[in-house]
Amino acid sequence: MRVVVASGKGGTGKTTLATALAQVAAETQAVRVLDCDVEAPNAALFLHPQWSSGAEVTRPVPRVDAERCTACGRCAEVCRFNALAVVGGAVLVFDDLCHGCGRCTWICPEQAIHEEPLTVGRIEAGWTPEGIDLAQGLLRIGQPMGLPVLRALKHWPPTTESASVSVSARPSPWIEIRDAPPGASCPVVETLRGADAVILVTEPTAFGLHDLRQVVGIVQELGLPAWVVINRDGIGQAPIDAYCAEQGLPIALRLPLERRLAEALARGQSLLAAAPEYRPAIRHLLERLRCEVSGA
Ligand code: SF4
Ligand code: SF4
């Protein structure tokens, strides 16, 4: 089962919930966590993994052989992203705009273009003390597009062995929990693709409701079943309940506004370490997801 924990708004407690779900699930099944917030991954702050593997992520960018190029301009004409320009008899390539589609290489009549890999980020993977297989994507500073890193992360092979437990020896069924980036743009859509269920974390503020609406639109467009978790319940008066009722979204869990939780999370403690009394509610949420996704 693949579950995405998303929230239109940043800072609503998405990672807090994703890591708590992973810790509870790991008590009975194999768990993989993908931290898909490649611009600022932070699940590791709560799960404390030992990184054991990783790889660079690259994307292809065109390079022009000036000896062969006749400055005909065909490559710039076919580029839909304005990543090429012919200026003064030479082709300029704007790597940040290039999407690596390969059209320019294919169209060049002089075969003057070849592709070279450009490093755009990195994948890191390892194991947490509870035996959770955690992988995160890290977008290289200055790179404008996180999608290549995110796609590589989704296809990252599971680490085969932890220090003491092999994946094949773990209880099944397995669960993959994806901690989505904030917002409602392409990286969120990519994180949602291929998921079985979505948990939407929000807070009862005007911003929380506004951003929840945006991400609900995407989830509905993709036809994914979703449940809502209200974090910091009591922080505001926004009509989250009424909106969820109107959209047919079940509210699966409420986490109250508590100063002690905020302080513990700021110290890097996980939700369950700070408030173990929430374990049964998190377990119940997981079971509910499993039953409704599997139809059991
Ligand atoms: S299509 Fe080829 S020959 Fe024409 S400008 Fe581009 S690189 Fe040069
Ligand atoms: S690979 Fe595609 S996006 Fe990149 S410069 Fe060539 S045509 Fe444009």
Side-chain angles (χ1 to χ4, degrees), residues 97-131:
L97 299 179
C98 174
H99 282 56
C101 70
R103 283 164 67 95
C104 54
T105 306
W106 178 77
I107 204 80
C108 175
E110 307 299 331
Q111 297 182 329
I113 302 180
H114 70 280
E115 292 178 342
E116 289 183 358
L118 177 73
T119 300
V120 293
R122 200 177 150 66
I123 304 295
E124 290 179 335
W127 293 89
T128 75
E130 304 97 333

PDB file of all heavy atoms in Angstrom, residues 97-131:
ATOM      1  N   LEU A  97      16.408  25.957 -18.190  1.00  0.00           N
ATOM      2  CA  LEU A  97      15.110  25.880 -18.872  1.00  0.00           C
ATOM      3  C   LEU A  97      14.907  24.530 -19.564  1.00  0.00           C
ATOM      4  O   LEU A  97      13.790  24.183 -19.942  1.00  0.00           O
ATOM      5  CB  LEU A  97      14.987  27.003 -19.906  1.00  0.00           C
ATOM      6  CG  LEU A  97      15.056  28.432 -19.366  1.00  0.00           C
ATOM      7  CD1 LEU A  97      14.953  29.431 -20.514  1.00  0.00           C
ATOM      8  CD2 LEU A  97      13.918  28.672 -18.380  1.00  0.00           C
ATOM      9  N   CYS A  98      15.995  23.805 -19.777  1.00  0.00           N
ATOM     10  CA  CYS A  98      15.917  22.548 -20.540  1.00  0.00           C
ATOM     11  C   CYS A  98      15.196  21.465 -19.746  1.00  0.00           C
ATOM     12  O   CYS A  98      15.472  21.252 -18.572  1.00  0.00           O
ATOM     13  CB  CYS A  98      17.332  22.091 -20.894  1.00  0.00           C
ATOM     14  SG  CYS A  98      17.351  20.469 -21.691  1.00  0.00           S
ATOM     15  N   HIS A  99      14.251  20.778 -20.418  1.00  0.00           N
ATOM     16  CA  HIS A  99      13.524  19.671 -19.796  1.00  0.00           C
ATOM     17  C   HIS A  99      14.052  18.308 -20.251  1.00  0.00           C
ATOM     18  O   HIS A  99      13.444  17.282 -19.967  1.00  0.00           O
ATOM     19  CB  HIS A  99      12.030  19.770 -20.117  1.00  0.00           C
ATOM     20  CG  HIS A  99      11.324  20.804 -19.284  1.00  0.00           C
ATOM     21  ND1 HIS A  99      11.712  22.116 -19.236  1.00  0.00           N
ATOM     22  CD2 HIS A  99      10.252  20.699 -18.455  1.00  0.00           C
ATOM     23  CE1 HIS A  99      10.917  22.787 -18.427  1.00  0.00           C
ATOM     24  NE2 HIS A  99      10.023  21.949 -17.935  1.00  0.00           N
ATOM     25  N   GLY A 100      15.125  18.319 -21.030  1.00  0.00           N
ATOM     26  CA  GLY A 100      15.744  17.052 -21.424  1.00  0.00           C
ATOM     27  C   GLY A 100      14.901  16.209 -22.362  1.00  0.00           C
ATOM     28  O   GLY A 100      15.000  14.975 -22.364  1.00  0.00           O
ATOM     29  N   CYS A 101      14.083  16.855 -23.200  1.00  0.00           N
ATOM     30  CA  CYS A 101      13.168  16.088 -24.061  1.00  0.00           C
ATOM     31  C   CYS A 101      13.894  15.451 -25.245  1.00  0.00           C
ATOM     32  O   CYS A 101      13.397  14.499 -25.841  1.00  0.00           O
ATOM     33  CB  CYS A 101      12.048  16.978 -24.568  1.00  0.00           C
ATOM     34  SG  CYS A 101      12.588  18.209 -25.769  1.00  0.00           S
ATOM     35  N   GLY A 102      15.052  15.969 -25.622  1.00  0.00           N
ATOM     36  CA  GLY A 102      15.840  15.360 -26.694  1.00  0.00           C
ATOM     37  C   GLY A 102      15.461  15.797 -28.104  1.00  0.00           C
ATOM     38  O   GLY A 102      16.067  15.341 -29.074  1.00  0.00           O
ATOM     39  N   ARG A 103      14.465  16.677 -28.253  1.00  0.00           N
ATOM     40  CA  ARG A 103      14.017  17.070 -29.599  1.00  0.00           C
ATOM     41  C   ARG A 103      15.128  17.759 -30.392  1.00  0.00           C
ATOM     42  O   ARG A 103      15.283  17.523 -31.592  1.00  0.00           O
ATOM     43  CB  ARG A 103      12.813  18.018 -29.494  1.00  0.00           C
ATOM     44  CG  ARG A 103      11.510  17.308 -29.176  1.00  0.00           C
ATOM     45  CD  ARG A 103      10.458  18.291 -28.716  1.00  0.00           C
ATOM     46  NE  ARG A 103      10.034  19.202 -29.757  1.00  0.00           N
ATOM     47  CZ  ARG A 103       8.971  19.030 -30.543  1.00  0.00           C
ATOM     48  NH1 ARG A 103       8.235  17.949 -30.385  1.00  0.00           N
ATOM     49  NH2 ARG A 103       8.642  19.911 -31.453  1.00  0.00           N
ATOM     50  N   CYS A 104      15.893  18.602 -29.727  1.00  0.00           N
ATOM     51  CA  CYS A 104      16.931  19.347 -30.445  1.00  0.00           C
ATOM     52  C   CYS A 104      18.004  18.403 -30.992  1.00  0.00           C
ATOM     53  O   CYS A 104      18.469  18.545 -32.124  1.00  0.00           O
ATOM     54  CB  CYS A 104      17.545  20.421 -29.550  1.00  0.00           C
ATOM     55  SG  CYS A 104      18.171  19.784 -27.984  1.00  0.00           S
ATOM     56  N   THR A 105      18.365  17.411 -30.175  1.00  0.00           N
ATOM     57  CA  THR A 105      19.385  16.451 -30.607  1.00  0.00           C
ATOM     58  C   THR A 105      18.887  15.680 -31.818  1.00  0.00           C
ATOM     59  O   THR A 105      19.617  15.441 -32.784  1.00  0.00           O
ATOM     60  CB  THR A 105      19.690  15.468 -29.455  1.00  0.00           C
ATOM     61  OG1 THR A 105      20.043  16.224 -28.300  1.00  0.00           O
ATOM     62  CG2 THR A 105      20.834  14.533 -29.800  1.00  0.00           C
ATOM     63  N   TRP A 106      17.628  15.320 -31.753  1.00  0.00           N
ATOM     64  CA  TRP A 106      17.032  14.506 -32.819  1.00  0.00           C
ATOM     65  C   TRP A 106      16.891  15.299 -34.126  1.00  0.00           C
ATOM     66  O   TRP A 106      17.102  14.785 -35.208  1.00  0.00           O
ATOM     67  CB  TRP A 106      15.675  14.012 -32.328  1.00  0.00           C
ATOM     68  CG  TRP A 106      14.924  13.211 -33.328  1.00  0.00           C
ATOM     69  CD1 TRP A 106      15.154  11.906 -33.676  1.00  0.00           C
ATOM     70  CD2 TRP A 106      13.841  13.664 -34.141  1.00  0.00           C
ATOM     71  NE1 TRP A 106      14.270  11.516 -34.641  1.00  0.00           N
ATOM     72  CE2 TRP A 106      13.442  12.573 -34.942  1.00  0.00           C
ATOM     73  CE3 TRP A 106      13.152  14.872 -34.254  1.00  0.00           C
ATOM     74  CZ2 TRP A 106      12.402  12.665 -35.860  1.00  0.00           C
ATOM     75  CZ3 TRP A 106      12.111  14.956 -35.166  1.00  0.00           C
ATOM     76  CH2 TRP A 106      11.749  13.865 -35.954  1.00  0.00           C
ATOM     77  N   ILE A 107      16.561  16.585 -34.015  1.00  0.00           N
ATOM     78  CA  ILE A 107      16.235  17.377 -35.213  1.00  0.00           C
ATOM     79  C   ILE A 107      17.466  17.932 -35.913  1.00  0.00           C
ATOM     80  O   ILE A 107      17.401  18.271 -37.105  1.00  0.00           O
ATOM     81  CB  ILE A 107      15.269  18.545 -34.834  1.00  0.00           C
ATOM     82  CG1 ILE A 107      14.458  19.018 -36.042  1.00  0.00           C
ATOM     83  CG2 ILE A 107      16.031  19.730 -34.257  1.00  0.00           C
ATOM     84  CD1 ILE A 107      13.299  18.143 -36.342  1.00  0.00           C
ATOM     85  N   CYS A 108      18.583  18.071 -35.222  1.00  0.00           N
ATOM     86  CA  CYS A 108      19.746  18.763 -35.797  1.00  0.00           C
ATOM     87  C   CYS A 108      20.220  18.075 -37.090  1.00  0.00           C
ATOM     88  O   CYS A 108      20.622  16.907 -37.074  1.00  0.00           O
ATOM     89  CB  CYS A 108      20.899  18.797 -34.791  1.00  0.00           C
ATOM     90  SG  CYS A 108      22.402  19.504 -35.507  1.00  0.00           S
ATOM     91  N   PRO A 109      20.207  18.782 -38.216  1.00  0.00           N
ATOM     92  CA  PRO A 109      20.592  18.157 -39.483  1.00  0.00           C
ATOM     93  C   PRO A 109      22.086  17.853 -39.572  1.00  0.00           C
ATOM     94  O   PRO A 109      22.508  17.049 -40.403  1.00  0.00           O
ATOM     95  CB  PRO A 109      20.176  19.206 -40.538  1.00  0.00           C
ATOM     96  CG  PRO A 109      20.155  20.504 -39.812  1.00  0.00           C
ATOM     97  CD  PRO A 109      19.784  20.195 -38.393  1.00  0.00           C
ATOM     98  N   GLU A 110      22.875  18.509 -38.744  1.00  0.00           N
ATOM     99  CA  GLU A 110      24.334  18.300 -38.796  1.00  0.00           C
ATOM    100  C   GLU A 110      24.823  17.334 -37.719  1.00  0.00           C
ATOM    101  O   GLU A 110      26.030  17.115 -37.586  1.00  0.00           O
ATOM    102  CB  GLU A 110      25.058  19.661 -38.611  1.00  0.00           C
ATOM    103  CG  GLU A 110      24.612  20.750 -39.561  1.00  0.00           C
ATOM    104  CD  GLU A 110      24.853  20.390 -41.022  1.00  0.00           C
ATOM    105  OE1 GLU A 110      25.803  19.624 -41.289  1.00  0.00           O
ATOM    106  OE2 GLU A 110      24.069  20.842 -41.885  1.00  0.00           O
ATOM    107  N   GLN A 111      23.889  16.810 -36.942  1.00  0.00           N
ATOM    108  CA  GLN A 111      24.261  15.951 -35.790  1.00  0.00           C
ATOM    109  C   GLN A 111      25.327  16.632 -34.936  1.00  0.00           C
ATOM    110  O   GLN A 111      26.335  16.023 -34.533  1.00  0.00           O
ATOM    111  CB  GLN A 111      24.738  14.585 -36.275  1.00  0.00           C
ATOM    112  CG  GLN A 111      23.627  13.848 -37.004  1.00  0.00           C
ATOM    113  CD  GLN A 111      24.023  12.465 -37.462  1.00  0.00           C
ATOM    114  OE1 GLN A 111      25.181  12.207 -37.771  1.00  0.00           O
ATOM    115  NE2 GLN A 111      23.050  11.592 -37.523  1.00  0.00           N
ATOM    116  N   ALA A 112      25.067  17.907 -34.712  1.00  0.00           N
ATOM    117  CA  ALA A 112      26.036  18.710 -33.951  1.00  0.00           C
ATOM    118  C   ALA A 112      25.733  18.730 -32.452  1.00  0.00           C
ATOM    119  O   ALA A 112      26.461  19.357 -31.683  1.00  0.00           O
ATOM    120  CB  ALA A 112      26.034  20.150 -34.485  1.00  0.00           C
ATOM    121  N   ILE A 113      24.615  18.086 -32.053  1.00  0.00           N
ATOM    122  CA  ILE A 113      24.221  18.125 -30.628  1.00  0.00           C
ATOM    123  C   ILE A 113      24.354  16.741 -30.014  1.00  0.00           C
ATOM    124  O   ILE A 113      23.922  15.743 -30.591  1.00  0.00           O
ATOM    125  CB  ILE A 113      22.760  18.611 -30.475  1.00  0.00           C
ATOM    126  CG1 ILE A 113      22.603  20.001 -31.103  1.00  0.00           C
ATOM    127  CG2 ILE A 113      22.369  18.648 -28.999  1.00  0.00           C
ATOM    128  CD1 ILE A 113      21.192  20.560 -30.995  1.00  0.00           C
ATOM    129  N   HIS A 114      24.968  16.705 -28.880  1.00  0.00           N
ATOM    130  CA  HIS A 114      24.940  15.484 -28.071  1.00  0.00           C
ATOM    131  C   HIS A 114      24.488  15.868 -26.668  1.00  0.00           C
ATOM    132  O   HIS A 114      24.442  17.055 -26.324  1.00  0.00           O
ATOM    133  CB  HIS A 114      26.311  14.796 -28.047  1.00  0.00           C
ATOM    134  CG  HIS A 114      27.349  15.555 -27.273  1.00  0.00           C
ATOM    135  ND1 HIS A 114      28.031  16.635 -27.799  1.00  0.00           N
ATOM    136  CD2 HIS A 114      27.794  15.419 -25.999  1.00  0.00           C
ATOM    137  CE1 HIS A 114      28.871  17.115 -26.889  1.00  0.00           C
ATOM    138  NE2 HIS A 114      28.735  16.400 -25.790  1.00  0.00           N
ATOM    139  N   GLU A 115      24.131  14.860 -25.875  1.00  0.00           N
ATOM    140  CA  GLU A 115      23.645  15.141 -24.518  1.00  0.00           C
ATOM    141  C   GLU A 115      24.697  14.771 -23.493  1.00  0.00           C
ATOM    142  O   GLU A 115      25.406  13.775 -23.652  1.00  0.00           O
ATOM    143  CB  GLU A 115      22.357  14.360 -24.244  1.00  0.00           C
ATOM    144  CG  GLU A 115      21.190  14.858 -25.078  1.00  0.00           C
ATOM    145  CD  GLU A 115      19.934  14.051 -24.854  1.00  0.00           C
ATOM    146  OE1 GLU A 115      20.018  12.925 -24.333  1.00  0.00           O
ATOM    147  OE2 GLU A 115      18.855  14.558 -25.212  1.00  0.00           O
ATOM    148  N   GLU A 116      24.741  15.571 -22.431  1.00  0.00           N
ATOM    149  CA  GLU A 116      25.633  15.268 -21.314  1.00  0.00           C
ATOM    150  C   GLU A 116      24.812  15.289 -20.034  1.00  0.00           C
ATOM    151  O   GLU A 116      23.855  16.065 -19.919  1.00  0.00           O
ATOM    152  CB  GLU A 116      26.753  16.308 -21.216  1.00  0.00           C
ATOM    153  CG  GLU A 116      27.762  16.189 -22.328  1.00  0.00           C
ATOM    154  CD  GLU A 116      28.901  17.176 -22.188  1.00  0.00           C
ATOM    155  OE1 GLU A 116      28.889  17.991 -21.234  1.00  0.00           O
ATOM    156  OE2 GLU A 116      29.789  17.146 -23.051  1.00  0.00           O
ATOM    157  N   PRO A 117      25.181  14.453 -19.067  1.00  0.00           N
ATOM    158  CA  PRO A 117      24.429  14.454 -17.803  1.00  0.00           C
ATOM    159  C   PRO A 117      24.803  15.657 -16.940  1.00  0.00           C
ATOM    160  O   PRO A 117      25.979  15.995 -16.808  1.00  0.00           O
ATOM    161  CB  PRO A 117      24.858  13.140 -17.136  1.00  0.00           C
ATOM    162  CG  PRO A 117      26.189  12.824 -17.728  1.00  0.00           C
ATOM    163  CD  PRO A 117      26.224  13.416 -19.108  1.00  0.00           C
ATOM    164  N   LEU A 118      23.780  16.297 -16.397  1.00  0.00           N
ATOM    165  CA  LEU A 118      23.992  17.415 -15.470  1.00  0.00           C
ATOM    166  C   LEU A 118      23.502  16.962 -14.096  1.00  0.00           C
ATOM    167  O   LEU A 118      22.358  16.513 -13.953  1.00  0.00           O
ATOM    168  CB  LEU A 118      23.175  18.627 -15.942  1.00  0.00           C
ATOM    169  CG  LEU A 118      23.214  19.859 -15.046  1.00  0.00           C
ATOM    170  CD1 LEU A 118      24.563  20.559 -15.161  1.00  0.00           C
ATOM    171  CD2 LEU A 118      22.092  20.825 -15.423  1.00  0.00           C
ATOM    172  N   THR A 119      24.348  17.045 -13.105  1.00  0.00           N
ATOM    173  CA  THR A 119      23.944  16.613 -11.759  1.00  0.00           C
ATOM    174  C   THR A 119      22.983  17.634 -11.156  1.00  0.00           C
ATOM    175  O   THR A 119      23.292  18.819 -11.057  1.00  0.00           O
ATOM    176  CB  THR A 119      25.175  16.453 -10.846  1.00  0.00           C
ATOM    177  OG1 THR A 119      26.035  15.478 -11.432  1.00  0.00           O
ATOM    178  CG2 THR A 119      24.768  15.988  -9.456  1.00  0.00           C
ATOM    179  N   VAL A 120      21.796  17.133 -10.770  1.00  0.00           N
ATOM    180  CA  VAL A 120      20.783  18.050 -10.236  1.00  0.00           C
ATOM    181  C   VAL A 120      20.423  17.742  -8.779  1.00  0.00           C
ATOM    182  O   VAL A 120      19.681  18.482  -8.147  1.00  0.00           O
ATOM    183  CB  VAL A 120      19.495  18.016 -11.086  1.00  0.00           C
ATOM    184  CG1 VAL A 120      19.759  18.596 -12.465  1.00  0.00           C
ATOM    185  CG2 VAL A 120      18.932  16.606 -11.205  1.00  0.00           C
ATOM    186  N   GLY A 121      20.918  16.651  -8.284  1.00  0.00           N
ATOM    187  CA  GLY A 121      20.588  16.327  -6.899  1.00  0.00           C
ATOM    188  C   GLY A 121      21.153  14.991  -6.499  1.00  0.00           C
ATOM    189  O   GLY A 121      22.039  14.443  -7.170  1.00  0.00           O
ATOM    190  N   ARG A 122      20.585  14.469  -5.432  1.00  0.00           N
ATOM    191  CA  ARG A 122      21.131  13.266  -4.815  1.00  0.00           C
ATOM    192  C   ARG A 122      20.030  12.499  -4.098  1.00  0.00           C
ATOM    193  O   ARG A 122      19.073  13.086  -3.628  1.00  0.00           O
ATOM    194  CB  ARG A 122      22.173  13.742  -3.788  1.00  0.00           C
ATOM    195  CG  ARG A 122      23.150  12.779  -3.378  1.00  0.00           C
ATOM    196  CD  ARG A 122      24.218  13.233  -2.416  1.00  0.00           C
ATOM    197  NE  ARG A 122      24.577  12.067  -1.626  1.00  0.00           N
ATOM    198  CZ  ARG A 122      25.173  11.011  -2.144  1.00  0.00           C
ATOM    199  NH1 ARG A 122      25.533  11.014  -3.409  1.00  0.00           N
ATOM    200  NH2 ARG A 122      25.432   9.955  -1.398  1.00  0.00           N
ATOM    201  N   ILE A 123      20.178  11.181  -4.066  1.00  0.00           N
ATOM    202  CA  ILE A 123      19.319  10.337  -3.238  1.00  0.00           C
ATOM    203  C   ILE A 123      20.165   9.793  -2.099  1.00  0.00           C
ATOM    204  O   ILE A 123      21.313   9.383  -2.319  1.00  0.00           O
ATOM    205  CB  ILE A 123      18.758   9.125  -4.037  1.00  0.00           C
ATOM    206  CG1 ILE A 123      18.012   9.582  -5.291  1.00  0.00           C
ATOM    207  CG2 ILE A 123      17.859   8.273  -3.139  1.00  0.00           C
ATOM    208  CD1 ILE A 123      16.777  10.367  -5.052  1.00  0.00           C
ATOM    209  N   GLU A 124      19.602   9.818  -0.892  1.00  0.00           N
ATOM    210  CA  GLU A 124      20.263   9.184   0.250  1.00  0.00           C
ATOM    211  C   GLU A 124      19.291   8.184   0.836  1.00  0.00           C
ATOM    212  O   GLU A 124      18.085   8.456   0.894  1.00  0.00           O
ATOM    213  CB  GLU A 124      20.624  10.226   1.315  1.00  0.00           C
ATOM    214  CG  GLU A 124      21.727  11.151   0.873  1.00  0.00           C
ATOM    215  CD  GLU A 124      22.066  12.191   1.928  1.00  0.00           C
ATOM    216  OE1 GLU A 124      21.188  12.509   2.755  1.00  0.00           O
ATOM    217  OE2 GLU A 124      23.204  12.666   1.913  1.00  0.00           O
ATOM    218  N   ALA A 125      19.801   7.029   1.261  1.00  0.00           N
ATOM    219  CA  ALA A 125      18.913   5.998   1.818  1.00  0.00           C
ATOM    220  C   ALA A 125      19.606   5.291   2.975  1.00  0.00           C
ATOM    221  O   ALA A 125      20.835   5.218   3.034  1.00  0.00           O
ATOM    222  CB  ALA A 125      18.543   4.985   0.736  1.00  0.00           C
ATOM    223  N   GLY A 126      18.787   4.804   3.872  1.00  0.00           N
ATOM    224  CA  GLY A 126      19.345   4.084   5.021  1.00  0.00           C
ATOM    225  C   GLY A 126      18.237   3.539   5.893  1.00  0.00           C
ATOM    226  O   GLY A 126      17.072   3.483   5.480  1.00  0.00           O
ATOM    227  N   TRP A 127      18.619   3.152   7.098  1.00  0.00           N
ATOM    228  CA  TRP A 127      17.681   2.508   8.020  1.00  0.00           C
ATOM    229  C   TRP A 127      17.598   3.288   9.323  1.00  0.00           C
ATOM    230  O   TRP A 127      18.590   3.824   9.793  1.00  0.00           O
ATOM    231  CB  TRP A 127      18.135   1.081   8.312  1.00  0.00           C
ATOM    232  CG  TRP A 127      18.037   0.202   7.114  1.00  0.00           C
ATOM    233  CD1 TRP A 127      18.993  -0.008   6.163  1.00  0.00           C
ATOM    234  CD2 TRP A 127      16.892  -0.547   6.706  1.00  0.00           C
ATOM    235  NE1 TRP A 127      18.519  -0.849   5.193  1.00  0.00           N
ATOM    236  CE2 TRP A 127      17.237  -1.213   5.509  1.00  0.00           C
ATOM    237  CE3 TRP A 127      15.621  -0.736   7.243  1.00  0.00           C
ATOM    238  CZ2 TRP A 127      16.345  -2.038   4.832  1.00  0.00           C
ATOM    239  CZ3 TRP A 127      14.739  -1.570   6.575  1.00  0.00           C
ATOM    240  CH2 TRP A 127      15.102  -2.207   5.391  1.00  0.00           C
ATOM    241  N   THR A 128      16.398   3.297   9.877  1.00  0.00           N
ATOM    242  CA  THR A 128      16.215   3.943  11.175  1.00  0.00           C
ATOM    243  C   THR A 128      16.375   2.884  12.264  1.00  0.00           C
ATOM    244  O   THR A 128      16.346   1.683  11.973  1.00  0.00           O
ATOM    245  CB  THR A 128      14.814   4.564  11.284  1.00  0.00           C
ATOM    246  OG1 THR A 128      13.859   3.508  11.485  1.00  0.00           O
ATOM    247  CG2 THR A 128      14.456   5.345  10.030  1.00  0.00           C
ATOM    248  N   PRO A 129      16.492   3.300  13.507  1.00  0.00           N
ATOM    249  CA  PRO A 129      16.627   2.302  14.582  1.00  0.00           C
ATOM    250  C   PRO A 129      15.443   1.348  14.671  1.00  0.00           C
ATOM    251  O   PRO A 129      15.602   0.207  15.096  1.00  0.00           O
ATOM    252  CB  PRO A 129      16.720   3.177  15.848  1.00  0.00           C
ATOM    253  CG  PRO A 129      17.257   4.478  15.365  1.00  0.00           C
ATOM    254  CD  PRO A 129      16.692   4.670  13.998  1.00  0.00           C
ATOM    255  N   GLU A 130      14.248   1.793  14.218  1.00  0.00           N
ATOM    256  CA  GLU A 130      13.071   0.892  14.267  1.00  0.00           C
ATOM    257  C   GLU A 130      13.027  -0.046  13.063  1.00  0.00           C
ATOM    258  O   GLU A 130      12.078  -0.817  12.920  1.00  0.00           O
ATOM    259  CB  GLU A 130      11.759   1.688  14.259  1.00  0.00           C
ATOM    260  CG  GLU A 130      11.607   2.713  15.357  1.00  0.00           C
ATOM    261  CD  GLU A 130      11.995   4.100  14.896  1.00  0.00           C
ATOM    262  OE1 GLU A 130      12.824   4.220  13.963  1.00  0.00           O
ATOM    263  OE2 GLU A 130      11.472   5.059  15.479  1.00  0.00           O
ATOM    264  N   GLY A 131      13.993   0.058  12.142  1.00  0.00           N
ATOM    265  CA  GLY A 131      13.984  -0.791  10.956  1.00  0.00           C
ATOM    266  C   GLY A 131      13.173  -0.224   9.812  1.00  0.00           C
ATOM    267  O   GLY A 131      12.710  -0.971   8.947  1.00  0.00           O
TER     268      GLY A 131
END
